[in-house]
Amino acid sequence: MKKCIRYTILLAIACVNFLQAQTTILDQTLLTQASFNSFTAVSVTGAQTWTFSSSYGAVCSGYATAQNFQNEDWLISPTMNLAGVNNVKLTFNHTRGSASVVNVGVSQGWYKAYATDNYTGDVATTQWIELTGVNHTVTTAWQYISSGEIIIPEAAKSANSRIAFRYMSSNTQSATWEIKNVKVKGEVPINPDIANFKITNWNIEWFGCTSFGPTNETLQLNNVASAMLAMNSDIFCLQEVTNPVSVAAFTNLVTLLGNDQWEGRLVPATTDDCEQRQGIIYKKARVQFVNSGLLSSGNSAQGNSYYYNWSSGRFPALYNVNLIAGANVVPISIVNIHAKSEDGDADSYTRRLGASQALKTILDGANYSTKNLY
């Protein structure tokens, strides 16, 4: 086995600046009179306005008495405190009809969503910000679709924020717009007084391997344990760990730290000879282990398979844990990687690049995009 040039990294991170808890700021179905009444209907032009339906939610149409009318009508949410809330997103379900006019006015922008940080009480004098990216692809009349996740920009965030829906029609054409299940969600930082967690990332170089790395295995074990106790982190993410049954170095490390206070997880739990793995060791009083696994399925990239890019099978390890922050339990997912090494080698760089690209695709996907990910 060729000994590689590798990087030993020691990085302590105070996680409090990154921990976020998802919160729901607005959740109105508009399918009850009370829910509909929490919004304010404002008619700018025309006799028609937003009305309530227990079956369809908020309904607005410029068609009445067998003819079309010009209208501009707004439906404005109650006040929302978005100050200090991150990653704020609006979602709702909506549809249009009838069949002959299902797409009337879409290209003209007749059905829009807005947000403001200060509603003046007058839609004309309020500084509205149009919320872009609303899904309007209704293909069948009265077919409800999701708006998609619509980002509310920073400029619209304050202690007095509101969102609004604007409906328009002309005296020659109109469609009915129906809206329900309006939600605004975001993320708020965890109180730093109860969530000052520290995570340390450390490549401990052929730990437990008698063929490579430090020659004095006992000294290495004792030094690693002493350093970990001195750093006093809540979670240690370790790379280059071996743990064969004959020399259970990882298990011995946890024992040396103190089994009453510390616990460790390695994926898989045992190794063959000097097979390198990633593991975590954590304080039991601060961290609850949920489950773990390998992110072993990914896309090819840079002309190589996912397997080859990850050092021929040294896949990223995923650990799902709960941080115990006072009375709060905060779920996070930790991805522990050990990328292809070799300094100055073009092939190794290409494999690291391909592995990173494939991992990003996985983490950007639906399974992980909403998680607290580290």
Side-chain angles (χ1 to χ4, degrees), residues 17-53:
N17 294 326
F18 305 98
L19 286 180
Q20 304 282 323
Q22 190 171 87
T23 184
T24 300
I25 299 101
L26 179 70
D27 187 357
Q28 294 292 342
T29 67
L30 301 180
L31 295 172
T32 67
Q33 189 69 61
S35 179
F36 178 80
N37 288 346
S38 69
F39 281 66
T40 302
V42 176
S43 181
V44 176
T45 303
Q48 289 68 47
T49 188
W50 286 95
T51 59
F52 163 69
S53 168

Side-chain angles (χ1 to χ4, degrees), residues 48 62-69:
Q48 289 68 47
Y63 187 77
T65 62
Q67 59 183 317
N68 297 299
F69 294 92

Side-chain angles (χ1 to χ4, degrees), residues 254-276:
V254 177
T255 301
L256 196 59
L257 292 171
N259 288 312
D260 57 331
Q261 298 182 49
W262 297 88
E263 195 169 58
R265 302 284 175 163
L266 193 65
V267 183
T270 58
T271 63
D272 295 327
D273 300 325
C274 291
E275 192 173 16
Q276 296 174 342

Side-chain angles (χ1 to χ4, degrees), residues 54-240:
S54 60
S55 298
Y56 311 120
V59 179
C60 199
S61 176
Y63 187 77
T65 62
Q67 59 183 317
N68 297 299
F69 294 92
Q70 183 178 357
N71 277 272
E72 180 183 339
D73 294 283
W74 291 69
L75 188 67
I76 304 167
S77 78
T79 300
M80 301 177 294
N81 186 354
L82 300 183
V85 184
N86 301 316
N87 198 27
V88 182
K89 295 178 181 178
L90 163 69
T91 61
F92 57 94
N93 298 119
H94 65 135
T95 189
R96 294 186 305 275
S98 60
S100 60
V101 294
V102 67
N103 288 313
V104 162
V106 175
S107 61
Q108 295 97 316
W110 286 1
Y111 320 101
K112 288 188 175 183
Y114 293 86
T116 183
D117 67 341
N118 180 31
Y119 178 53
T120 65
D122 183 342
V123 295
T125 60
T126 298
Q127 291 187 334
W128 296 102
I129 299 174
E130 181 181 347
L131 302 180
T132 59
V134 177
N135 175 24
H136 282 294
T137 55
V138 177
T139 57
T140 303
W142 316 124
Q143 172 196 11
Y144 279 95
I145 62 173
S146 171
S147 64
E149 292 187 330
I150 312 304
I151 296 174
I152 296 180
E154 291 295 320
K157 290 163 54 178
S158 74
N160 300 295
S161 295
R162 297 184 189 232
I163 56 101
F165 302 100
R166 190 199 69 183
Y167 170 88
M168 297 184 72
S169 62
S170 74
N171 55 13
T172 59
Q173 287 184 309
S174 66
T176 300
W177 194 20
E178 299 174 353
I179 298 173
K180 62 183 180 180
N181 300 328
V182 179
K183 294 183 181 181
V184 175
K185 293 184 177 182
E187 297 174 348
V188 293
I190 300 298
N191 186 340
D193 294 333
I194 60 171
N196 185 23
F197 285 87
K198 185 166 71 173
I199 300 177
T200 295
N201 183 57
W202 191 6
N203 183 320
I204 52 178
E205 193 177 352
W206 292 111
F207 184 77
C209 173
T210 57
S211 300
F212 300 101
T215 55
N216 189 327
E217 306 302 329
T218 301
L219 180 61
Q220 183 188 25
L221 172 64
N222 290 330
N223 285 345
V224 169
S226 296
M228 290 173 67
L229 290 172
M231 284 184 280
N232 195 33
S233 293
D234 298 289
I235 301 175
F236 290 91
C237 298
L238 306 175
Q239 301 89 45
E240 291 203 20

